Amino acid sequence: MMRWRRWRAARPAANGSARPDDVDFECWGEALSQKASGRAALTADGLGVIACHACGTVWRDACEGECCARCGAGLRRRKTKSIQRTWAFLIAACILYIPANLMPVMVTSTLFDEQRDTIMSGIVYFWASGEWELAVIVFIASFLVPLFKLGAMMLMVLATQNRSAWRVLQRARLYRIVEFIGRWSMLDVFVVSLLAGLVQMKGFATITAGPGVAAFASVVVLTMLASISYDPRLAWDHSQTDMEAEDINS
């Protein structure tokens, strides 16, 4: 017989107190801001509830590793080996970031010569030609964005690994920004793929993708996998532990 119960939220008592079994979702934001009053914030992990990562159903009295009674997916409170997997993807992305910027991303062959363009040479060409708007777009999308994602992910992972409670809310917002801009990081790959498909005039000019495109696409994919593997809830767990320690000491 299934012993789990779905999470049911009840109204707080008249005196304003709320037990773990009687928590109103409308008061959840207020509970997360209780640090100012010296009390530890309520969390799902502290209340003994666990959410299914597949269907989103929240269960109480369920054990980690068991199957969700609704969709059959395995239940887990946190992502498995989140820090180790994130570091693996980040290190691989940093290694490939160098050839992605040094190797040619586009090879143009004409009747007279062959030209190999890297990301930076394309930016310089646009700037020298007076197309500074395109140069800025390519520079931001192809150079700064991947570098920003790598730096931001390393900052979050290091802070979480060191159990730091420094600017947890800002780190959570930074994580959402990294996830949002991840879908806009394939500008060079899209442009090269489009040109390679359109400019194929045998005997006159052909455009083919260079090895730098594969390295650049790998960097983008690896940073996206790193953001997926990272569990931002670990930072809140450490913050919760620090607040509970402060309550005990006080």
Side-chain angles (χ1 to χ4, degrees), residues 26 66 120-121 138 149 159 168 191 233 237:
E26 295 178 359
E66 296 181 346
M120 294 306 299
S121 67
V138 175
K149 290 172 61 178
V168 182
V191 171
R233 295 172 296 182
D237 291 342

Side-chain angles (χ1 to χ4, degrees), residues 142 185-194 212-214 216-218 220:
S142 302
S185 303
M186 284 285 193
L187 178 62
D188 278 353
V189 179
F190 292 152
V191 171
V192 173
S193 301
L194 181 62
V213 172
F216 183 82
S218 299
V220 175

Side-chain angles (χ1 to χ4, degrees), residues 108-238:
T108 305
S109 302
T110 63
L111 289 173
F112 305 101
D113 61 355
E114 181 180 275
Q115 182 177 351
R116 297 176 176 266
D117 293 306
T118 63
I119 294 177
M120 294 306 299
S121 67
I123 295 173
V124 173
Y125 173 78
F126 284 131
W127 188 272
S129 301
E131 301 290 342
W132 62 269
E133 299 93 345
L134 291 176
V136 171
I137 292 175
V138 175
F139 179 75
I140 294 176
S142 302
F143 185 79
L144 285 185
V145 169
L147 192 62
F148 167 76
K149 290 172 61 178
L150 289 173
M153 288 301 305
M154 286 184 178
L155 173 64
M156 290 185 288
V157 175
L158 284 173
T160 304
Q161 193 172 13
N162 294 328
R163 306 181 66 87
S164 173
W166 174 74
R167 296 187 179 274
V168 182
L169 180 59
Q170 287 75 10
R171 281 155 49 192
R173 293 172 178 171
L174 180 62
Y175 176 73
R176 292 196 294 269
I177 293 174
V178 170
E179 279 197 321
F180 175 77
I181 65 177
R183 69 195 71 175
W184 305 103
S185 303
M186 284 285 193
L187 178 62
D188 278 353
V189 179
F190 292 152
V191 171
V192 173
S193 301
L194 181 62
L195 291 177
L198 293 177
V199 184
Q200 293 295 334
M201 296 177 291
K202 297 296 183 180
F204 293 96
T206 58
I207 295 179
T208 57
V213 172
F216 183 82
S218 299
V219 172
V220 175
V221 172
L222 288 171
T223 51
M224 293 176 66
L225 291 175
S227 64
I228 294 174
S229 301
Y230 176 70
D231 195 339
R233 295 172 296 182
L234 295 174
W236 294 103
D237 291 342
H238 301 157

